[in-house]
Amino acid sequence: MSKEKKESVIESSIKRKYKLQAKDVKVWYGDFMAIKGISMDIKPNKVTAFIGPSGCGKSTFLRLFNRMNDYVDGFKMDGEINIDDKNINDKDINVELLRKQVGMVFQKPNPFPKSIFENVAYGLKIQGLKDKKFLEERVVNSLKRVALWDEVKDDLNKNALALSGGQQQRLCIARTLAVEPSIILMDEPTSALDPISTAKIEELIYKLKDKYTIVIVTHNMQQASRISDNTAFFYLGELIEYDKTNKIFTNPEKQQTENYITGRFG
Amino acid sequence: MNNIRKNRLKDQAFKIWGIFCTLLGLVLLAIFIGNIFIDGIMRIDWEFIMNLPSRKAEKSGIYTALMGSIWVLLLTTLIALPVGIAAAIYLEEYSKKNKLATILEVNISNLAGVPSIIYGLLGLEVFVRIMEMGASVVAGSCTLALLILPIVIVSTREALKAVPKSIRDASFAMGASKWQTVYHQLLPASFGGILTGIILALSRAVGETAPLIVIGALAYVPFAPSSPMDEFSVLPIQIFNWITRPQHGFVENAAAAIIILLLITFVMNGIAVYFRNKWQKKFK
Amino acid sequence: MLNLEDHREILNQSGLEMFQLVRKQFIKSKEAFLNHDNDLAEEVLHTENRVNGMDLKLDRECERFIALHNPVAGDLRFVLALRKINFDLERIGDHAYGISSYIVEVDTPVDKEVLDKLEFAEMYKAALSMLDDIRDAYQTGNTKKARKVFKKDKILNKINLNSFGVISEEVQKDPKLIDQYLLLFSVIKKIERVGDLITNIGEEIIFYLEAEVLKHRKKKGPSKPSK
């Protein structure tokens, strides 16, 4: 291999070390500066947790990666957000395509008021995929992956709103998986659920790590320490500390981090 | 202890007053309908419905007015619905929520309260004269469409507003465009509310008299419309016409026609409520 | 419902209490031994119950703290360290008890000359100063003080090693005294063990304050500045 080729291969493999990247990102809502200049690299096939007190900007930061902030009045952004080294705010980026690559699960389960089948197939249908067999396969597959299949296989036409909260949230995850994203963003996915449903979903997240890069915003310190590989602590729009989860919870570098995770404030 | 007794008395007092007020309206309505019923029910037969109006009360029928009403209703629906719903979707989902949007919203609500005769005058000038539609069904329909447009827009917007934001979020997050979200999620979910709005609007339209008189709907029309450009009459006008006649036979006719009109209104409402409930069950 | 900070402070005070209790036991047993004071020795034996009781209490409190508060970071290291420190302090108490029971069993006091030859006074002095250092380190959160004990432990080890030679020499001179010398040897071993236990406590304190694990490692010189 020639020297240049070798270097570019090495470079690209180093580059690909980071799946998601933020470079000196600043965010404003009108005059209010919500994110004050954050840079961050997120590794592929890992679970990264965002923690911090309410209003510290972690949800805003999360939503930068699938550009859901675009719908908020007064939103303005500076800096780069890169996914697989491509700036997702470039003019030539198709934002709908981006959202098929980057899925999102919300805090309160929000299944569509349609049947279970329709819910999971929605993402595929809006891409124009119509083949019945294909849709069925994908739907069944996704439901199996979230361990919901056995519970709903008898009636996929049942209205999704008839499911319990934990089932609904798993359905939302299945819906996201059906379009085969490579990244899944989760905004406090279990905060509205009971402990058993929470445990089931945490188990699911842990299993999904193999195939997906997962970023999860959570208020629950134990959850962050249980399921994440890396943890980022946000405070008042700044990234205070970002390190391996084990380090953050046994011996954080910054006193602020320690104060937050030991419950001294926030 | 005295306080509790007082409160309980107040409670009871209001309950009685509330029942009285409710019953008052219902009772008066019942008396009115009852009266009409007594006067007109004997007059209704197939001939009455199929006959053209005539100078002789016994020979007069509502055929032309009925047909006119149906034509106008259908055409008004065809014009107002797509325009109103599209406008509402645009205002609610697409336009930026700035000062201009607020001004627009307030003004549309205001339009719903404008006296209907003003619409009549507008229709006369613009549709009948400038656009040279003449005193035709289409002119009448356009005028009524304008009249009910604000109602359609406002109620469609309310129905859309009632769909929770989380549905939109979920749809966008899945990579759907705005239109896909509207078409696949918002319209189906708000259908019930939209339908209710349509019923309200059309119920109003079917009973409008003043604007149609202004644009030139005739009181005496010996034929049913066969094209949108034809001249026409509608039931309310026919009723008005009969009421002004001195002969007792015409009073009976008017009562009978009122019964028919009420029937149409109730049936329309009933169908729509039925469909709305059926649809709502799907989403609960 | 006990607030985490308050609960931690309670644990801290209990730890300090244990330190004070065990330190007194050790001093008393030293006095009893050097002056062959039977009464003092009995006092130590009597107080052993309190030491055991304190040990159990502290253990239970640590368990409760973990269960209730799910501690992380500094809080977690604190309670983990405290459990081990408690264990080590209890062993020190045991040794003080052991030394005192010898005094009670043996009638004749030890020859002053022999005590000097074996450097008992120096040994005890070093051990006591180590105990003071470690108590201060715990109380004030001072890792520098904690690190002092590693060097001082060398003194104890040296005296311990020397004692072999001295004792074998003395026994050869007068074999009848072997019982006495065996006894003295036991006591020396015990004091040397106390030194080891104190260095253990030192490691735990450093772990708690700096998250550095010194267990099974060679102790190096200059220390990292604490947070």
Side-chain angles (χ1 to χ4, degrees), chain A residues 249-252 258 261-262 264, chain C residues 4-5 73-75 77 211 227:
Chain A
F249 285 96
T250 54
N251 182 29
E258 169 125 14
I261 63 177
T262 55
R264 295 304 198 281
Chain C
L4 187 147
E5 287 255 27
D75 294 329
R77 296 197 311 269
K227 255 208 282 255

Side-chain angles (χ1 to χ4, degrees), chain B:
Chain B
M1 274 305 136
N2 206 6
N3 243 338
I4 296 179
R5 265 205 94 210
K6 257 204 225 164
N7 280 329
R8 219 174 265 166
L9 279 172
K10 282 191 193 162
D11 224 11
Q12 277 292 89
F14 179 75
K15 205 168 159 195
I16 295 171
W17 172 244
I19 293 176
F20 173 70
C21 291
T22 310
L23 285 179
L24 188 69
L26 285 174
V27 163
L28 286 175
L29 192 64
I31 292 176
F32 168 70
I33 294 180
N35 235 333
I36 299 288
F37 219 67
I38 294 170
D39 283 341
I41 191 70
M42 298 317 290
R43 185 71 183 81
I44 297 178
D45 51 29
W46 192 244
E47 270 183 14
F48 181 65
I49 295 177
M50 293 307 287
N51 275 353
L52 305 176
S54 104
R55 265 164 300 184
K56 292 223 182 96
E58 321 79 58
K59 291 228 182 94
S60 261
I62 56 169
Y63 183 68
T64 58
L66 187 60
M67 284 297 117
S69 272
I70 292 176
W71 268 86
V72 167
L73 202 62
L74 284 175
L75 216 54
T76 306
T77 312
L78 264 160
I79 299 169
L81 241 52
V83 173
I85 295 179
I89 293 175
Y90 175 78
L91 287 169
E92 189 59 31
E93 303 297 327
Y94 283 80
S95 77
K96 279 212 175 86
K97 304 283 183 289
N98 50 19
K99 252 205 171 144
L100 181 65
T102 319
I103 294 175
L104 214 62
E105 189 166 344
V106 170
N107 280 317
I108 290 176
S109 302
N110 284 338
L111 281 174
V114 167
S116 53
I117 194 152
I118 309 258
Y119 282 98
L121 292 170
L122 178 72
L124 181 65
E125 187 57 35
V126 175
F127 298 126
V128 175
R129 297 204 177 130
I130 294 179
M131 291 179 70
E132 294 183 6
M133 290 182 187
S136 58
V137 172
V138 73
S141 299
C142 285
T143 310
L144 285 186
L146 273 184
L147 182 80
I148 66 169
L149 204 61
I151 305 175
V152 174
I153 292 177
V154 169
S155 53
T156 305
R157 277 195 82 173
E158 289 303 312
L160 286 171
K161 272 199 188 112
V163 178
K165 181 169 174 291
S166 54
I167 303 284
R168 291 178 184 79
D169 281 344
S171 184
F172 291 138
M174 305 252 21
S177 68
K178 244 196 192 140
W179 172 246
Q180 283 175 317
T181 302
V182 167
Y183 183 73
H184 289 285
Q185 300 297 344
L186 300 183
L187 284 180
S190 58
F191 184 72
I194 296 179
L195 196 57
T196 314
I198 295 171
I199 303 162
L200 272 173
L202 292 178
S203 298
R204 178 139 175 222
V206 87
E208 281 296 336
T209 323
L212 294 178
I213 293 180
V214 170
I215 64 150
L218 306 170
Y220 182 78
V221 177
F223 50 84
S226 49
S227 92
M229 297 308 291
D230 281 349
E231 291 171 334
F232 69 106
S233 182
V234 289
L235 266 177
I237 293 180
Q238 184 67 280
I239 294 170
F240 179 64
N241 177 275
W242 279 338
I243 286 178
T244 59
R245 306 270 189 93
Q247 294 94 327
H248 179 73
F250 283 114
V251 174
E252 266 181 30
N253 285 0
I258 290 174
I259 295 176
I260 303 283
L261 188 58
L262 284 175
L263 200 66
I264 296 177
T265 313
F266 287 162
V267 167
M268 265 172 49
N269 267 302
I271 294 175
V273 167
Y274 168 73
F275 274 117
R276 187 179 59 143
N277 284 340
K278 208 170 130 204
W279 209 268
Q280 269 191 348
K281 276 216 186 86
K282 245 186 161 192
F283 295 115
K284 292 294 166 333

Side-chain angles (χ1 to χ4, degrees), chain A residues 221-222 225 248-255 258 261-264, chain C residues 4-5 8 69-77 210-212 227:
Chain A
M221 227 62 69
Q222 273 82 50
S225 53
I248 297 267
F249 285 96
T250 54
N251 182 29
E253 290 288 324
K254 302 266 166 67
Q255 189 61 42
E258 169 125 14
I261 63 177
T262 55
R264 295 304 198 281
Chain C
L4 187 147
E5 287 255 27
R8 199 177 135 163
H69 300 288
N70 250 305
V72 287
D75 294 329
L76 179 64
R77 296 197 311 269
E210 293 178 4
E212 203 187 330
K227 255 208 282 255

Side-chain angles (χ1 to χ4, degrees), chain A residues 14-253:
Chain A
I14 291 175
K15 268 191 170 182
R16 215 160 286 136
K17 247 171 80 181
Y18 303 120
K19 186 79 181 165
L20 297 134
Q21 201 178 36
K23 281 194 180 158
D24 198 28
V25 169
K26 302 191 175 93
V27 169
W28 293 266
Y29 288 126
D31 288 326
F32 171 65
M33 194 173 189
I35 305 276
K36 300 183 181 153
I38 293 184
S39 297
M40 183 178 204
D41 296 314
I42 295 179
K43 296 206 168 80
N45 296 113
K46 293 259 185 277
V47 178
T48 304
F50 288 177
I51 62 173
S54 302
C56 64
K58 51 191 195 294
S59 285
T60 303
F61 192 71
L62 184 79
R63 286 197 306 264
L64 289 172
F65 291 105
N66 67 348
R67 290 180 55 177
M68 282 299 278
N69 288 319
D70 290 1
Y71 299 108
V72 181
D73 279 332
F75 168 73
K76 214 173 52 170
M77 184 193 129
D78 200 36
E80 272 177 53
I81 297 278
N82 299 325
I83 294 184
D84 288 334
D85 302 319
K86 184 82 172 68
N87 186 335
I88 63 174
N89 287 294
D90 270 348
K91 292 266 188 281
D92 61 342
I93 291 282
N94 180 333
V95 78
E96 276 103 35
L97 211 60
L98 169 71
R99 296 198 183 121
K100 290 171 177 85
Q101 256 241 350
V102 184
M104 183 168 245
V105 177
F106 297 83
Q107 179 174 353
K108 197 163 167 291
N110 55 4
F112 301 122
K114 293 177 187 283
S115 71
I116 294 173
F117 185 90
E118 288 292 316
N119 261 279
V120 185
Y122 183 68
L124 299 164
K125 280 207 169 151
I126 59 176
Q127 288 182 49
L129 299 166
K130 290 202 190 111
D131 181 45
K132 260 193 113 183
K133 246 191 131 200
F134 172 74
L135 289 177
E136 257 177 51
E137 219 183 284
R138 275 281 178 96
V139 168
V140 172
N141 207 325
S142 305
L143 289 171
K144 282 195 177 151
R145 294 253 286 285
V146 302
L148 197 56
W149 175 246
D150 286 327
E151 293 168 51
V152 302
K153 65 179 175 223
D154 292 324
D155 189 7
L156 290 183
N157 284 321
K158 188 158 86 150
N159 193 312
L161 297 174
L163 298 174
S164 75
Q167 289 173 321
Q168 283 185 17
Q169 191 66 305
R170 276 183 283 153
L171 182 66
C172 292
I173 298 177
R175 169 176 80 184
T176 309
L177 293 181
V179 295
E180 311 247 307
S182 59
I183 299 165
I184 303 178
L185 307 175
M186 297 188 169
D187 197 345
E188 300 192 44
T190 60
S191 61
L193 303 177
D194 62 273
I196 301 216
S197 304
T198 300
K200 283 202 183 137
I201 289 182
E202 286 182 7
E203 210 185 300
L204 174 60
I205 294 175
Y206 190 74
K207 283 197 206 133
L208 290 175
K209 197 164 63 166
D210 277 343
K211 286 220 186 126
Y212 306 90
T213 303
I214 299 177
V215 184
I216 171 171
V217 166
T218 180
H219 263 141
N220 184 336
M221 227 62 69
Q222 273 82 50
Q223 181 173 87
S225 53
R226 270 196 296 268
I227 61 175
S228 69
D229 299 299
N230 301 310
T231 299
F233 170 55
F234 292 77
Y235 185 62
L236 294 181
E238 293 183 350
L239 179 61
I240 307 294
E241 199 171 335
Y242 174 44
D243 211 328
K244 283 201 162 58
T245 297
N246 195 29
K247 174 114 193 338
I248 297 267
F249 285 96
T250 54
N251 182 29
E253 290 288 324

Side-chain angles (χ1 to χ4, degrees), chain C:
Chain C
M1 168 60 204
L2 202 50
N3 163 303
L4 187 147
E5 287 255 27
D6 292 339
H7 203 172
R8 199 177 135 163
E9 191 46 38
I10 290 176
L11 280 181
N12 197 20
Q13 289 303 319
S14 299
L16 205 56
E17 241 184 87
M18 188 70 170
F19 260 109
Q20 310 286 41
L21 193 57
V22 165
R23 182 174 169 274
K24 274 219 194 88
Q25 288 288 77
F26 188 70
I27 291 175
K28 281 190 207 160
S29 78
K30 161 186 159 231
E31 295 294 314
F33 178 76
L34 293 177
N35 305 330
H36 199 82
D37 188 335
N38 225 317
D39 294 329
L40 208 54
E42 288 283 1
E43 212 180 298
V44 173
L45 299 187
H46 183 74
T47 317
E48 171 70 358
N49 284 336
R50 268 191 68 199
V51 176
N52 289 340
M54 190 81 221
D55 168 40
L56 289 174
K57 177 170 160 240
L58 199 50
D59 225 26
R60 263 201 324 265
E61 271 306 310
C62 286
E63 188 187 323
R64 194 163 157 243
F65 182 79
I66 294 175
L68 288 185
H69 300 288
N70 250 305
V72 287
D75 294 329
L76 179 64
R77 296 197 311 269
F78 168 74
V79 71
L80 290 178
L82 188 58
R83 286 194 78 223
K84 282 198 171 168
I85 291 172
N86 180 37
F87 179 72
D88 292 331
L89 284 175
E90 196 270 334
R91 302 299 328 283
I92 294 176
D94 268 349
H95 289 312
Y97 177 87
I99 295 173
S100 298
S101 38
Y102 287 152
I103 307 294
V104 171
E105 283 167 17
V106 172
D107 278 327
T108 37
V110 183
D111 196 346
K112 268 274 187 293
E113 250 188 68
V114 174
L115 286 182
D116 284 341
K117 271 200 203 131
L118 291 170
E119 297 176 282
F120 263 101
E122 286 84 356
M123 210 179 181
Y124 260 119
K125 183 163 161 235
L128 211 52
S129 104
M130 280 168 75
L131 204 50
D132 284 342
D133 280 343
I134 212 66
R135 191 221 30 216
D136 290 340
Y138 173 82
Q139 194 168 21
T140 60
N142 186 337
T143 51
K144 249 182 144 181
K145 270 238 154 135
R147 285 191 154 88
K148 282 209 180 118
V149 304
F150 299 129
K151 205 164 172 204
K152 291 186 186 170
D153 190 43
K154 293 204 166 89
I155 302 173
L156 293 182
N157 292 341
K158 194 173 107 224
I159 297 178
N160 181 36
L161 232 57
N162 279 345
S163 64
F164 287 134
V166 174
I167 287 179
S168 85
E169 210 186 291
E170 293 299 316
V171 167
Q172 278 173 19
K173 277 197 216 156
D174 189 355
K176 273 191 279 146
L177 298 170
I178 186 160
D179 287 342
Q180 205 184 109
Y181 278 115
L182 284 178
L183 182 75
L184 291 175
F185 186 59
S186 271
V187 176
I188 290 177
K189 267 244 92 56
K190 279 198 167 25
I191 303 175
E192 196 267 336
R193 281 299 295 140
V194 167
D196 282 345
L197 288 166
I198 294 176
T199 56
N200 281 353
I201 296 177
E203 285 169 6
E204 291 309 315
I205 292 179
I206 291 171
F207 162 70
Y208 152 52
L209 291 169
E210 293 178 4
E212 203 187 330
V213 177
L214 295 176
K215 214 163 49 159
H216 307 313
R217 255 212 274 164
K218 278 195 129 126
K219 322 283 187 263
K220 296 214 179 94
S223 56
K224 266 190 344 194
S226 38
K227 255 208 282 255

